[in-house]
Structure formats: C-alpha cells, structure tokens
Amino acid sequence: VEGAPRLGSAPRACAQGRAPSAAVGPMAPPPALAAPALRRLLASALLAGFASGRGDPECWGGGLTGDFCCDTKKGQTGDIQCWDGDYTFERCCGASVPVQRSPLSTRPGVASYDVAQLLVAPSSVPGLQLLGGGSMPIAGIGMCCRPGANGDAARQAVLDYLLMGGRHIDDATVYKNHAQVGEGIRQAVAAGVPRSDIFLTTKINPPHFGFETATDWVARSLQELGLEYIDLVLLHWAAVPTDGRACKDPKQCRQETWLALQRAKAKRQIRHLGVSNFGERQISELLALGGAPVEANQIEYHPWVPELHLQTAEFCHRHGIVVTAYGSMGSAGSAAQMVTQDELQEMGRAHGKTGGQVLLRWAVQRNVSVIPGTSNPNHMSENLRIFDFSLNAQEFVRALFLTITLGSAR
C-alpha cells in the first residue's frame, strides 16, 4: 500500500500489499519461513502442535514452536513476531500476560480531610461518545507540570479526585508519575470506585515510537501503573526518535507505532487509541491505514488559540474524533493572568462562578473535553461544577472580543 510503513516484523497484510486492519493475519515468522505459506504450514503440521505441549495446538507448525514463541526471556509476551489479533500469547502459550503490580499496591489510601465535603456526582459529568464504543467523561484532571503532580502528592491527587467523584485522569510517560497515578487508581478501586468507571489516558512520546519499541512501551507502562489495561493511549506529539534508531522517517515512524498500539488494543491491553498535537494531515495518514480509528486528539484549546487549532478541532469533530483541551484556562505562562480578566470575572459573577469556570464552560459547550490540572481538592471540585450553567450567545460574543483584545496585546 502506498505510504504503508515497512516493518521488520510487519503483519502479513502489509507483506502481501493489503491495507492493514485491526485484526490482520499472523505476524511474519522468522526469516527462514515464507510468510504467505504460514497458514498452510500450520494446518499441515497440526500434530506437531500437540507435541509442543503449549496452549492451542493450531498455533504451532512449520517451524513455529512453543519453545520459540513462548520464551519469556525474549519479552513479557515471548517473541512478538509470533502474535497478532488471532494468535496471541495467551491463546498459544496457555498463559496470561503477567502484570507486575507496584509493591505499594496494598497500602490503604486515605482521602484529604476536606474531600467528603466536596463530593460531585459522577453522573453529573457528561460523556463524549468514542468511535470505538463507550464514552469518555468530558471533564477530567491533568497530571502534568506542577509540584503536586510529582511523588506521593500525585498519588494523593488522583485518590482525592476519584473519591470526590471525578472519573477521568490524564497522564503521560513524560510526566514521570505512572507509578503514583496507578497507585492512586488502585487505592480508589479498593475504596469502592469501580475500575470500569475510571477513564485513564496516557501518552507515548517519540523516543518510544517504532513498532518493537512501542510494543515494549505498552508492557512497561502497564507494569509501572500496576493496572491490567489503559483506557486511552495517545501519540503524544508528531516527531521521531533522536537516538539514531531505525525509525527515522516521520510518517513511517508514526504508522509503525500505531500498528503496535493497534495490536495491544486487540489484546485488550488498551481500549482506545488517539493522538495529541496532531494536525489534519498527520491524522489522515493514520486513518489511511484502515485499522483502528483515531478516537481522540488532544490540543491546546481556549478562546485565544491560533485559528489553526480551531480548524483542527472542527476537522476532528467532522470525523467523529473527540477533542480534548489542554491549557483550557490559557497556556502555561498566561493562565493566571487570563482567568482574572475583568470580562471573564464579570461573566462568572453573573452565574455565581469563577473566571476559570467560564473558560472551562466555553470549551465544553463547544463539545471539547477539559482536563485542568490541580492538586487542591477545592479546585478539583470547582472544575467539575461547570454543568449547572450555560453561556448565552451574548457571552460567547464577549469571549470573542476577549480573544481579539488578548491577541492584539501579544
């Protein structure tokens, strides 16, 4: 297929010139085997499978054996060249993928003193429908870029947020707090919050792009989090590794990563896939693969972003792709200034709300998810209480005027 990545361990569909999909044929075997003949070899050598003593005997034959494929010295799921959506480590090796939990996983969690007075009904937060089925809460908490998102403070913030009634957690590898975020989630589950109600997003960054590297990233992230699955994984931004590895062409690199995550999705290790900081062209390249849909795009989004961001959001909405806003109260260097603008404060007072709540409401009324970051339980509760008022048409015009004013001052 024109533009399809050339993978060292690509699905058979790629090797035969067909568009890849979420459930493709077995991965190419070791070089000594002819990939197009693999299924015939498997069928003709069925008896050899019984001799292997491993899982489903249909998996083995034609040079593929349990000893070769199920050897966990090669990785958490054996040799990754052997598996795809039909032939998995679990099926063929008769074993589940081990998830090593954090040694802190049994430590009881205690909410901060004021959380009990700040409860928000989870049902009050609407969900955005995802192309892969199910929904994502339109309001969440971001775990980036503040002292309270590091160390044990990150665990406490996640625990407080979930016990308060929030259900959407946004994280990333580069935030370096997977272990603490995962522990906070596990403690909340132990306290009675259903895991199925929690929506965890994390992001894979370019140093982990590439087919094999991304495959390893999934296993390592699950281990760091101490969880059995991740609800949504995003490609964090559209770049390439800089460490000299083979994955150098930007388009190929992103597509290889997508195919690796697509395989993890088929194994239910990941439930949904998306991107972050991607534009229309980069999203279209992934859509052209014809496999798992791009279900979300996280971009900076607030009333004074460049026009390109607004156009990207419109493109996503036309294609059913959920948009999540980071910096929904303003970019990192200007948020404190923006939420105190007189126009916003005045609009907030009319509804008994703050300027920050007005900005969050502006986004959700445009069908955009928000993930403001805070470790203060009072602010967490405030950021969830944005669904009991609406901005009218006149207030939206005032927000546009604010955009012009701020834009001219930059």
Side-chain angles (χ1 to χ4, degrees):
V1 178
E2 180 68 23
R6 298 185 296 276
L7 309 180
S9 54
R12 286 178 68 232
C14 293
Q16 294 175 334
R18 300 197 305 271
S21 66
V24 296
M27 295 298 291
L33 301 180
L38 180 57
R39 288 202 182 275
R40 293 195 301 273
L41 288 170
L42 289 175
S44 66
L46 184 60
L47 291 178
F50 289 99
S52 74
R54 303 257 191 175
D56 189 335
E58 288 190 9
C59 296
W60 313 124
L64 289 181
T65 67
D67 290 339
F68 176 84
C69 291
C70 301
D71 183 0
T72 54
K73 293 179 181 178
K74 299 178 179 179
Q76 193 176 30
T77 56
D79 193 302
I80 64 170
Q81 295 186 94
C82 299
W83 317 129
D84 71 359
D86 296 322
Y87 292 84
T88 65
F89 175 80
E90 295 93 328
R91 172 186 172 185
C92 297
C93 300
S96 59
V97 177
V99 175
Q100 299 180 15
R101 298 190 180 279
S102 164
L104 301 177
S105 61
T106 58
R107 184 174 65 165
V110 179
S112 297
Y113 72 96
D114 47 357
V115 167
Q117 286 74 48
L118 299 170
L119 300 182
V120 175
S123 59
S124 69
V125 180
L128 294 173
Q129 294 301 307
L130 296 168
L131 289 173
S135 63
M136 179 185 77
I138 197 171
I141 185 172
M143 294 304 299
C144 172
C145 316
R146 63 182 186 276
N150 299 319
D152 194 61
R155 175 202 60 80
Q156 189 67 54
V158 169
L159 176 63
D160 287 345
Y161 190 74
L162 293 174
L163 294 182
M164 180 183 298
R167 292 294 181 263
H168 179 178
I169 311 292
D170 183 86
D171 202 21
T173 295
V174 297
Y175 305 163
K176 301 183 185 302
N177 57 11
H178 269 172
Q180 292 77 23
V181 168
E183 185 181 6
I185 291 174
R186 296 194 305 274
Q187 289 180 338
V189 171
V193 179
R195 172 64 182 95
S196 58
D197 289 356
I198 300 170
F199 193 96
L200 171 65
T201 299
T202 194
K203 310 175 193 74
I204 177 172
N205 55 322
H208 301 286
F209 283 6
F211 190 83
E212 294 185 0
T213 313
T215 299
D216 292 341
W217 175 90
V218 173
R220 184 167 55 255
S221 295
L222 289 172
Q223 179 176 330
E224 291 171 351
L225 291 160
L227 301 175
E228 295 180 357
Y229 65 91
I230 300 167
D231 296 273
L232 173 64
V233 170
L234 309 178
L235 276 64
H236 203 157
W237 65 91
V240 295
T242 58
D243 59 1
R245 288 187 284 110
C247 180
K248 296 178 181 179
D249 175 73
K251 178 179 177 181
Q252 175 188 341
C253 200
R254 292 191 292 268
Q255 289 184 327
E256 284 191 20
T257 306
W258 192 259
L259 291 173
L261 297 178
Q262 183 172 280
R263 169 178 286 190
K265 183 175 183 287
K267 297 178 180 179
R268 302 292 288 167
Q269 294 172 317
I270 298 170
R271 301 299 166 84
H272 305 277
L273 295 177
V275 296
S276 178
N277 300 298
F278 273 45
E280 179 176 340
R281 175 184 59 80
Q282 296 152 339
I283 293 173
S284 297
E285 290 171 358
L286 297 179
L287 295 176
L289 290 173
V294 177
E295 300 185 64
N297 187 17
Q298 187 175 129
I299 57 176
E300 183 175 355
Y301 192 87
H302 46 70
W304 49 93
V305 292
E307 182 65 24
L308 178 61
H309 290 231
L310 303 178
Q311 293 172 355
T312 299
E314 292 174 1
F315 168 83
C316 291
H317 284 149
R318 289 198 303 271
H319 289 81
I321 300 170
V322 166
V323 177
T324 296
Y326 68 80
S328 49
M329 294 189 190
S331 58
S334 61
Q337 174 190 353
M338 298 309 147
V339 297
T340 58
Q341 291 289 312
D342 290 342
E343 288 286 327
L344 289 176
Q345 295 284 2
E346 185 177 340
M347 282 189 274
R349 284 193 292 271
H351 298 281
K353 300 293 181 179
T354 66
Q357 287 173 306
V358 169
L359 286 174
L360 296 177
R361 183 66 202 180
W362 180 88
V364 300
Q365 278 190 220
R366 297 171 74 95
N367 211 34
V368 173
S369 170
V370 293
I371 48 168
T374 180
S375 298
N376 183 319
N378 288 283
H379 293 165
M380 293 178 191
S381 180
E382 182 179 286
N383 293 340
L384 288 169
R385 298 178 188 275
I386 57 173
F387 302 102
D388 55 355
F389 78 106
S390 297
L391 300 178
N392 59 37
Q394 182 180 5
E395 289 166 330
F396 263 98
V397 171
R398 292 174 70 185
L400 290 174
F401 176 76
L402 176 67
T403 303
I404 296 171
T405 300
L406 293 173
S408 63
R410 298 175 81 178

